[in-house]
Amino acid sequence: MLADTWHLFLKYTKITLRMPMWTLFTLIQPLLWLIIFTQLFKNFVQAPTDGGSYIDFFVPGVLVMTALFGSSWSGVSLLREITAGSVDKMLVSPVSRVAIVLSRVMHSAVQVVLQTLTIMLVAWAFGANLNLDPINLFLAMVSIFLLGVGLAALSNGFAIILQREEPLVMIGNLMTLPLMFLSTAMVPKQFMPGWIEAVSLVNPITYAVESVRAVLVGTPDLGTYGFGLAIMLVFAGLSLAWAVSAFNGLRD
Amino acid sequence: MIRVSGLTKIFEGGNKAIDDLSLKVKQGEILALLGPNGAGKTTTIRVLTTLSGFDKGEVEVAGFNVDSDPESVRCAIGLVAQKTGVDHFLSGRENLMLQGRLYRMNTADIESRITELAKYFELDDALDRTVMTYSGGMQRKLDIATALIHKPKVLFLDEPTLGLDIKSRQNLWRYINKLNKEQGLTILLTTHYLEEADHLSHRVAIINQGKIQIIDTPEALKNDIHGDAVILNFDSQGPETGDFTYAMHEDTEIKDVVWQNDKLHVYVDNGGSAVPKLVHLAKEKGLVIKSLSLSQPSLDDVFLKYTGTTLDEVGEEEGDEWWHQWAGKSGGGSKWQKNWGQWQDKIEASGTEAGKAGWQDKMQEWQNKDNSNQSEQANLADTENSQQPQDNKHNKGQQQATDKPPEPDKQQDWPQQPWSGKDPDDWQKWQQPDKDK
């Protein structure tokens, strides 16, 4: 199964590398957010961002946003593959069925990690004050990776259940924006109305942001990170299990 | 190699896609499943290749049970589906390599196999180009090559030449024949090209509504329908042609007479003796025969006999069946599909009626404008809409004369015929290859 996953993962990576433009496009949106929001909210002195500037606070949010936008569309290409017949071609071979889902999800998550690193570089150029030593960076990336896995798995699962590109894109839109705004990606918890804060507590994005923020901004807080990471592990695990079971249900 | 008995598959909603289907394919045999759209060809292939489940029956492929040991079946078969599953962004070599990996072959084996297959399918030069740059025929060849990478014992080809031009099609037939002859590969293919089934297969199974109507060699099937078809084309058409067709109805040797636009198809027991008679009769009636051709009965006629349906609307089947496959267990999908289907039926039902009426109105309108038009269609319009007295009499006469045989205007009834009537030359296309053989 692992070998199967690896070979399929290589295939997707090769395909991505052959159309680098697409990967670049997915970077544009988070970059815009980064630029617009940091400029827009620069002077919100009363924002309780633990002493740092708003850009420091916001960078983890943008990183998570990159993951959110980057991996939530993974299902669209699965539908393309189904229509093109590639999935059938895999299914008639003895390849592990889990590997088919797993390779797609892994590819998406790795892609997201690379995108996040690019964004971080830009943020650093903008003067964000981040803890960029290898350990903190690695921990942050693990969290982002798990988030990418979870979201990509959800997207693939929805793709299989919905069968159509249009509703899938709709669900993607419906999912990503509220998930982002109803989390602590852009605004600290103290700043939120009560009900949004309540929602943000059950939003996995919040925990992804918090865990990344815990290691990248200010004094590393491994407690918060650990909790966030645990939530990410559960989220990724559950989504993946669901996507695999949806995929297995494909055979009628 | 393939043994299927009592296979039944019911789609959600109670539609029987496959209904108690049984067949056997021997080692080294090519069997063609020939059927109209929605007959269950693709579904059958999907069941045999472990892609679809089924409700009843026993299915054994290459000695393994599809239901209890799908893994072994998968290792022993290759599938070339309707949609080319090759990846457009990868090169031919990469596609083949990946496929070999999925069958868990080791690198050296895959490489030697790639060299072999590339040579076989004459893809050497294109091997390192991305598939995007391939022509349709090349893509199909690569698709077949990927299906053969692990040296399967049985190859399934689902509409292998669909959408290819004539030349690529014949090219592909050559490869398929060669694979079967040289390597003894057992092949099960589906097609709705009669010519293809005739040309490639040892036996043909005519399938309709999920049931096999008959299985036999193409020759035996054709012998089943006695007689020949004579196609006549006259210099001009008028009351004499009507007289001529009417006279033919009295001849017992002539089994059927059908007009197709300006061509007259005459089905007879024996073409050799009928032709002189027809020529004589034409002379008697003062007709000049522009062209005359005689052909053997084709699978076309066989097909019509056993299914009572035609082979047009290419492409409908895949979409439909494909959707069923994937909509299977997932809540909303099938419901949408059902509603959509109902809508389409409604639209179609109302559409054709309106369309027909509208078409006839239009026709009359045009005819009225053009009084000098002497064509058959003009005459037709006139009888219904007698606004042109001078033509009318002439017309009536012909109408009576051709009373029995189908008039040229009855084009809407043409779907009765296997050549669909859309393109008058279709018939010729079907016939031609037969004659060549």
Side-chain angles (χ1 to χ4, degrees):
Chain A
M1 181 190 101
L2 287 180
D4 289 348
T5 310
W6 174 244
H7 294 304
L8 288 174
F9 172 80
L10 282 184
K11 163 187 145 183
Y12 291 123
T13 312
K14 262 185 211 158
I15 292 175
T16 310
L17 288 178
R18 280 181 198 167
M19 33 179 194
M21 285 315 283
W22 179 241
T23 318
L24 282 180
F25 275 127
T26 54
L27 282 179
I28 292 176
Q29 200 173 15
L31 275 178
L32 281 179
W33 289 110
L34 181 71
I35 295 162
I36 294 169
F37 277 82
T38 50
Q39 297 302 305
L40 202 61
F41 298 146
K42 203 161 44 180
N43 301 322
F44 278 21
V45 281
Q46 65 270 56
T49 52
D50 301 327
S53 67
Y54 183 71
I55 190 168
D56 295 352
F57 174 83
F58 186 51
V59 166
V62 170
L63 298 182
V64 167
M65 227 189 288
T66 313
L68 191 59
F69 292 134
S71 55
S72 294
W73 309 110
S74 169
V76 176
S77 69
L78 174 64
L79 286 186
R80 297 247 166 85
E81 279 208 306
I82 289 177
T83 328
S86 313
V87 171
D88 271 353
K89 212 169 174 64
M90 287 189 255
L91 287 177
V92 279
S93 80
V95 71
S96 150
R97 268 96 259 260
V98 180
I100 300 176
V101 179
L102 208 59
S103 62
R104 298 187 53 81
V105 167
M106 289 299 154
H107 163 254
S108 190
V110 166
Q111 194 179 344
V112 153
V113 165
L114 294 175
Q115 287 173 340
T116 325
L117 286 171
T118 320
I119 295 283
M120 208 179 293
L121 212 67
V122 176
W124 176 74
F126 267 81
N129 192 14
L130 303 169
N131 304 324
L132 287 182
D133 62 282
I135 295 171
N136 286 333
L137 203 58
F138 174 75
L139 290 177
M141 285 308 128
V142 171
S143 195
I144 296 269
F145 178 80
L146 287 174
L147 177 69
V149 167
L151 290 169
L154 277 186
S155 177
N156 278 290
F158 276 124
I160 293 159
I161 285 181
L162 293 170
Q163 294 293 319
R164 305 276 304 196
E165 223 170 275
E166 298 86 346
L168 179 66
V169 168
M170 201 184 70
I171 286 226
N173 272 326
L174 212 66
M175 213 171 64
T176 47
L177 282 180
L179 275 180
M180 187 183 76
F181 283 109
L182 299 177
S183 76
T184 54
M186 290 194 274
V187 198
K189 222 189 299 187
Q190 298 90 317
F191 222 59
M192 291 174 172
W195 70 271
I196 293 189
E197 194 187 332
V199 174
S200 78
L201 285 180
V202 293
N203 182 353
I205 302 298
T206 302
Y207 298 96
V209 174
E210 290 305 318
S211 65
V212 173
R213 194 170 281 149
V215 286
L216 285 188
V217 184
T219 335
D221 174 1
L222 287 180
T224 312
Y225 175 78
F227 184 64
L229 189 73
I231 301 266
M232 280 305 102
L233 265 173
V234 173
F235 172 62
L238 286 180
S239 309
L240 207 52
W242 177 68
V244 169
S245 80
F247 193 79
N248 284 335
L250 211 58
R251 184 176 184 261
D252 58 333
Chain B
M1 262 295 155
I2 301 175
R3 253 216 307 269
V4 181
S5 64
L7 175 64
T8 302
K9 180 175 171 64
I10 302 164
F11 279 142
E12 223 168 85
N15 236 0
K16 268 191 185 168
I18 308 174
D19 188 2
D20 195 22
L21 181 143
S22 301
L23 62 86
K24 271 185 197 165
V25 184
K26 283 174 289 190
Q27 167 127 32
E29 189 183 24
I30 303 185
L31 177 78
L33 283 181
L34 178 68
N37 298 323
K41 288 171 293 172
T42 301
T43 314
T44 307
I45 290 259
R46 287 181 67 85
V47 168
L48 296 190
T49 53
T50 77
L51 287 175
S52 273
F54 51 95
D55 296 290
K56 256 185 270 163
E58 284 285 314
V59 183
E60 208 176 83
V61 176
F64 304 105
N65 189 301
V66 166
D67 208 29
S68 60
D69 194 3
E71 200 82 343
S72 304
V73 171
R74 284 175 193 140
C75 291
I77 60 167
L79 166 68
V80 180
Q82 277 174 30
K83 327 242 162 156
T84 45
V86 288
D87 247 296
H88 285 210
F89 288 98
L90 299 180
S91 69
R93 186 188 300 281
E94 284 166 332
N95 266 298
L96 287 162
M97 189 55 128
L98 177 71
Q99 196 69 14
R101 295 282 186 209
L102 296 186
Y103 284 93
R104 282 131 193 181
M105 294 161 68
N106 67 47
T107 316
D109 284 350
I110 302 177
E111 268 163 8
S112 68
R113 187 73 177 145
I114 290 178
T115 322
E116 209 177 305
L117 287 168
K119 204 170 154 213
Y120 194 87
F121 286 102
E122 295 163 68
L123 284 169
D124 305 77
D125 300 334
L127 210 50
D128 289 304
R129 279 181 6 220
T130 54
V131 175
M132 259 185 294
T133 61
Y134 285 28
S135 68
M138 280 163 78
Q139 282 183 21
R140 204 50 69 96
K141 281 199 286 183
L142 178 65
D143 205 9
I144 298 179
T146 55
L148 291 173
I149 190 105
H150 57 294
K151 299 191 177 161
K153 295 191 189 114
V154 186
L155 182 66
F156 292 90
L157 299 166
D158 194 1
E159 307 271 2
T161 61
L162 189 71
L164 294 184
D165 59 77
I166 297 284
K167 210 176 152 199
S168 317
R169 182 178 301 163
Q170 284 166 350
N171 204 2
L172 213 57
W173 287 351
R174 194 162 53 81
Y175 286 115
I176 295 171
N177 255 330
K178 213 166 108 186
L179 276 172
N180 174 258
K181 287 218 175 77
E182 288 176 7
Q183 324 208 347
L185 195 62
T186 310
I187 298 174
L188 178 69
L189 63 93
T190 73
T191 183
H192 55 238
Y193 296 122
L194 298 146
E195 192 190 347
E196 188 162 288
D198 199 0
H199 190 94
L200 277 180
S201 57
H202 300 125
R203 286 190 304 153
V204 178
I206 291 182
I207 179 171
N208 194 29
Q209 293 177 342
K211 282 185 190 152
I212 288 187
Q213 311 288 334
I214 188 162
I215 304 190
D216 216 328
T217 61
E219 287 70 31
L221 288 175
K222 281 186 283 188
N223 285 340
D224 222 28
I225 290 197
H226 307 282
D228 297 312
V230 183
I231 303 160
L232 294 159
N233 193 355
F234 297 111
D235 210 22
S236 61
Q237 280 177 335
E240 309 84 36
T241 28
D243 261 3
F244 178 69
T245 35
Y246 193 63
M248 278 195 302
H249 271 261
E250 280 150 17
D251 193 321
T252 48
E253 211 206 325
I254 290 161
K255 295 197 291 192
D256 205 0
V257 185
V258 184
W259 273 103
Q260 186 206 11
N261 295 340
D262 56 343
K263 292 193 190 82
L264 186 68
H265 300 266
V266 186
Y267 295 100
V268 294
D269 282 331
N270 186 332
S273 67
V275 168
K277 214 173 359 177
L278 288 174
V279 173
H280 183 72
L281 186 63
K283 214 171 178 185
E284 215 168 72
K285 302 280 174 196
L287 284 167
V288 183
I289 295 174
K290 206 156 93 186
S291 71
L292 182 150
S293 66
L294 175 65
S295 65
Q296 301 274 306
S298 66
L299 275 181
D300 241 329
D301 307 277
V302 181
F303 189 79
L304 192 66
K305 178 178 170 187
Y306 284 103
T307 65
T309 29
T310 58
L311 280 171
D312 47 11
E313 287 154 46
V314 177
E316 183 109 15
E317 174 188 13
E318 306 91 71
D320 210 54
E321 291 197 1
W322 174 256
W323 179 256
H324 276 298
Q325 308 299 340
W326 293 90
K329 293 214 166 109
S330 53
S334 45
K335 240 183 279 160
W336 292 345
Q337 165 65 7
K338 218 171 108 196
N339 288 342
W340 176 244
Q342 280 170 356
W343 270 108
Q344 287 225 317
D345 287 349
K346 262 189 210 164
I347 290 166
E348 211 161 79
S350 61
T352 37
E353 280 308 304
K356 262 186 200 171
W359 165 247
Q360 277 164 353
D361 287 350
K362 261 258 162 73
M363 269 281 236
Q364 282 171 7
E365 215 175 89
W366 289 338
Q367 307 306 335
N368 293 345
K369 274 184 202 158
D370 188 7
N371 285 3
S372 61
N373 196 332
Q374 291 283 338
S375 76
E376 288 303 314
Q377 284 95 336
N379 296 339
L380 172 226
D382 297 340
T383 39
E384 281 166 13
N385 182 3
S386 41
Q387 283 179 353
Q388 287 151 305
Q390 71 268 53
D391 270 73
N392 216 3
K393 212 165 56 186
H394 161 94
N395 227 330
K396 281 254 166 71
Q398 205 213 349
Q399 227 31 40
Q400 276 157 7
T402 49
D403 196 38
K404 267 246 181 95
E407 306 94 336
D409 59 290
K410 283 277 171 68
Q411 278 177 35
Q412 271 127 357
D413 297 333
W414 272 91
Q416 289 280 336
Q417 302 302 326
W419 55 88
S420 90
K422 274 179 211 147
D423 177 0
D425 290 335
D426 267 359
W427 167 264
Q428 292 288 16
K429 278 187 211 149
W430 289 120
Q431 297 296 328
Q432 230 65 53
D434 255 293
K435 272 197 298 189
D436 293 346
K437 257 181 101 182

